[in-house]
């Protein structure tokens, strides 16, 4: 028992006394205190410094496409996915981006135009099943990319992002127009 228990006769409640401290002998050395590591040192010790390992562990485009849901069409090609992520990154830096379902819907209500980029691996589907119809009603082109993690990383957030709305053509006009053309080429009625 770590604490010695003594019963007090009048109250019948135990009183706990702390253990006596350990006294060091002359031959013992004091324990070394742990030093706090900076963030950079922690990353190096964990192994977050090696980019080769992380790229090898990351799933390929084809593996990501296997995890998409049934609503994800038009799905961007591998090349277009990279371009979409590049556009999102530039839009984040110029602060012309709306992240997430709530913000995207709020932006549409306020009349924001641009291109919506949606993640194809969002489950449950009900979270964003209303977005394609809403975007078509507002004449906003949209495109699906396979991974919400990659979309979140491109939007400079630590969390996965299910959808973003790139508001301006000012970001990168060529890239913006290229993705809009690809999104508008999709006819949602062709599946029926």
């Amino acid at each position: 028992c770590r604490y010695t228990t003594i019963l007090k006769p009048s109250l019948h409640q135990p009183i706990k006394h702390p253990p006596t401290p350990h006294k060091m002998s002359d031959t013992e050395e004091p324990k070394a205190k742990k030093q706090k590591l900076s963030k950079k040192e922690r990353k190096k010790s964990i192994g977050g410094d090696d980019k080769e390992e992380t790229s090898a562990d990351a799933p390929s485009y084809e593996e990501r496409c296997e995890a998409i849901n049934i609503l994800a069409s038009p799905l961007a090609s591998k090349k277009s996915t990279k371009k979409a992520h590049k556009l999102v990154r530039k839009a984040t830096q110029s602060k012309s981006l709306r992240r997430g379902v709530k913000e995207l819907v709020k932006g549409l209500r306020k009349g924001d135009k641009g291109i919506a980029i949606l993640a194809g691996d969002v489950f449950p589907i009900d979270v964003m099943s209303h977005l394609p119809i809403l975007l078509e009603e507002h004449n906003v082109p949209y495109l699906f990319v396979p991974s919400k993690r990659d979309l979140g990383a491109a939007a400079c957030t630590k969390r996965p992002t299910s959808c973003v709305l790139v508001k301006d053509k000012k970001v990168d006009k060529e890239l913006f127009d290229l993705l809009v053309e690809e999104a508008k080429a999709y006819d949602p009625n062709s599946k029926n």
Side-chain angles (χ1 to χ4, degrees):
C1 181
R2 189 165 181 189
Y3 292 96
T4 55
T5 308
I6 301 173
L7 290 176
K8 214 174 191 183
S10 62
L11 302 175
H12 298 289
Q13 294 178 347
I15 300 173
K16 294 190 176 186
H17 297 286
T20 56
H22 176 71
K23 293 183 180 179
M24 274 195 310
S25 65
D26 295 335
T27 57
E28 286 184 62
E29 291 184 22
K31 292 181 180 178
K33 291 184 179 180
K34 291 184 178 179
Q35 295 178 353
K36 288 190 174 182
L37 300 175
S38 67
K39 287 183 181 179
K40 289 180 182 177
E41 291 171 343
R42 274 187 254 143
K43 283 183 182 178
K44 285 180 184 176
S45 66
I46 292 171
D49 198 17
D50 302 326
K51 291 183 180 178
E52 293 174 7
E53 290 178 14
T54 55
S55 63
D57 294 340
S60 68
Y61 176 81
E62 290 77 20
E63 291 170 343
R64 287 185 180 111
C65 287
E66 291 174 3
I68 63 171
N69 57 37
I70 198 165
L71 292 177
S73 55
L75 184 65
S77 64
K78 188 174 184 178
K79 206 172 192 180
S80 296
T81 300
K82 286 183 180 180
K83 289 178 183 177
H85 290 154
K86 188 176 181 181
L87 181 70
V88 169
R89 201 170 297 112
K90 287 183 178 183
T92 304
Q93 291 168 353
S94 68
K95 302 202 179 192
S96 59
L97 186 80
R98 292 204 180 252
R99 292 182 200 94
V101 176
K102 281 184 175 181
E103 265 192 70
L104 192 140
V105 172
K106 184 170 70 173
L108 290 175
R109 271 198 321 253
K110 288 184 176 183
D112 289 347
K113 296 290 180 184
I115 184 169
I117 299 169
L118 312 170
D121 62 345
V122 176
F123 290 100
I125 299 174
D126 300 340
V127 172
M128 57 184 290
S129 60
H130 64 288
L131 288 180
I133 296 165
L134 190 66
L135 291 164
E136 287 169 14
E137 287 175 356
H138 288 276
N139 294 323
V140 175
Y142 62 94
L143 203 59
F144 280 89
V145 292
S147 174
K148 62 184 174 183
R149 286 193 185 277
D150 293 342
L151 189 59
C156 299
T157 58
K158 293 178 183 177
R159 303 283 303 153
T161 304
S162 58
C163 56
V164 294
L165 176 68
V166 180
K167 291 190 279 189
D168 295 328
K169 287 186 178 182
K170 299 173 190 173
V171 179
D172 187 349
K173 190 163 174 49
E174 291 176 21
L175 205 55
F176 187 89
D177 291 336
L178 189 72
L179 288 170
V180 167
E181 281 178 35
E182 185 177 340
K184 285 186 176 178
Y186 172 70
D187 181 21
N189 296 325
S190 65
K191 275 192 170 181
N192 294 337

